[in-house]
Amino acid sequence: MLKKRVIPVLTFNGFALVKTKQFGNPRMVGNPMQAARVYNSRNVDELVFIDIFATKQKRKLNLGVVKQVINECFMPVTIGGGIDSIDDINALLQIGADKVVLKSVALHTPVFISEAVKVFGSQCIVVSVDVYKDKDRLKIYEGINNHNRDAIDFIKEVEELGAGELFINDVLNDGMMNGFDVKMLENISVNTNLPIIASGGGGIPDHFPELMVNPNITGVAAASIFHFTQYTPFDIKFSINKKGYPVRLFDNHLNDGVNL
C-alpha cells in the first residue's frame, strides 16, 4: 500500500504568507522561506506553495521568491498561482518545482490541461478544485462570482483531459479546524480514479485518519493546524499510523525545536 502523505500548504499574497477562513479574511502568518525551512527540518512528504492572489491581481508568480522557497526544500514542492501558459509551467520546473497547480485556467480553459500534459506529463499536473455544498449539489467556488458549474462534472472532465492529481479544497471548512467533511470527499472519490489531496478542516491530529480509509485520498493537506496550534506534521503522521495506515516516519522529528 502506498504511504499516505502529509502536506503542509503555504498560501502567499505576493508579500507574505497568509491564512484564510472560508476563503476570506486572510491573516498574515509569516515568511515563506522561514516556513519552508522549518517544514524541511521536519521531513514532510511534500510542500505546496500557492500565490492565492496572483490570478485575481492579474500578475505572475514572483519566481525569485518561489526559487528561494524551493531552495529551502529537500522534499517535492508543488507550486501554484497565476499559471496560464506552457511558458509559466516551464519556468517553474526549470527552477526546481516538481509539480504545478492549475486552477482558474483549468476551469475556464480546460483544454489547457491536455496541452500541459502533452508537454510535461500528467505526473506534474495537479488541478485544484474549490468545492462547496449547495443543498444536495457540489459546486465550484469562485469568490463573489460563484461559478455555477457542477464540481463532479468538472472533476470527471479533468480526469479525461489527463490531469495527474486533484487538490480538493473544501471552501466551507477552510481554516475552521473542526474536522473534514468526510461524506463530501467520499462523494468526490467515487466519481474519479485520480489520486486526491484533501484540504480543509483539519484542526487536531485525530481528524486526519478518518480520511485514510478512502484509497483515492493519497494525501492530506493542512495549514491552520501548523500555524495556530502546537501540532506538527509528525503528530498527524503518528495519528494516521496508529490507525494502521502507512506513512513515512522519522526519528528526528523532535530535534528542530520549532513550532509552526
Side-chain angles (χ1 to χ4, degrees), residues 141-232:
Y141 178 84
E142 277 202 299
I144 58 174
N145 299 314
N146 279 346
H147 203 283
N148 197 40
R149 181 140 190 207
D150 183 272
I152 299 298
D153 289 345
F154 177 64
I155 287 167
K156 289 178 179 178
E157 181 180 11
V158 163
E159 182 172 1
E160 291 176 359
L161 290 168
E165 192 169 27
L166 295 171
F167 190 100
I168 302 297
N169 303 292
D170 182 347
V171 176
L172 296 181
N173 273 324
D174 170 57
M176 303 306 290
M177 302 174 66
N178 294 322
F180 295 94
D181 189 334
V182 177
K183 289 185 177 180
M184 184 194 80
L185 290 164
E186 286 177 352
N187 186 11
I188 292 171
S189 178
V190 298
N191 283 284
T192 181
N193 292 313
L194 290 177
I196 294 170
I197 299 171
S199 178
I204 59 173
D206 285 347
H207 284 152
F208 292 82
E210 62 184 353
L211 296 178
M212 299 297 98
V213 69
N214 188 326
N216 276 16
I217 296 179
T218 59
V220 287
S224 292
I225 189 174
F226 303 135
H227 290 306
F228 306 127
T229 80
Q230 77 277 20
Y231 297 119
T232 70

Side-chain angles (χ1 to χ4, degrees), residues 79-178:
I79 306 293
I83 299 170
D84 61 9
S85 72
I86 296 297
D87 286 344
D88 289 340
I89 298 175
N90 188 58
L92 290 168
L93 298 180
Q94 287 293 322
I95 62 172
D98 295 276
K99 296 185 284 188
V100 296
V101 177
L102 308 180
K103 188 171 79 170
S104 292
V105 68
L107 185 60
H108 297 290
T109 315
V111 69
F112 180 73
I113 298 171
S114 59
E115 293 171 358
V117 167
K118 287 177 183 176
V119 177
F120 304 106
S122 62
Q123 76 285 345
C124 74
I125 304 300
V126 182
V127 174
S128 178
V129 189
D130 302 336
V131 180
Y132 73 102
K133 282 185 176 178
D134 182 13
K135 298 178 181 178
D136 60 345
R137 291 183 63 198
L138 296 180
K139 294 185 178 180
I140 295 174
Y141 178 84
E142 277 202 299
I144 58 174
N145 299 314
N146 279 346
H147 203 283
N148 197 40
R149 181 140 190 207
D150 183 272
I152 299 298
D153 289 345
F154 177 64
I155 287 167
K156 289 178 179 178
E157 181 180 11
V158 163
E159 182 172 1
E160 291 176 359
L161 290 168
E165 192 169 27
L166 295 171
F167 190 100
I168 302 297
N169 303 292
D170 182 347
V171 176
L172 296 181
N173 273 324
D174 170 57
M176 303 306 290
M177 302 174 66
N178 294 322

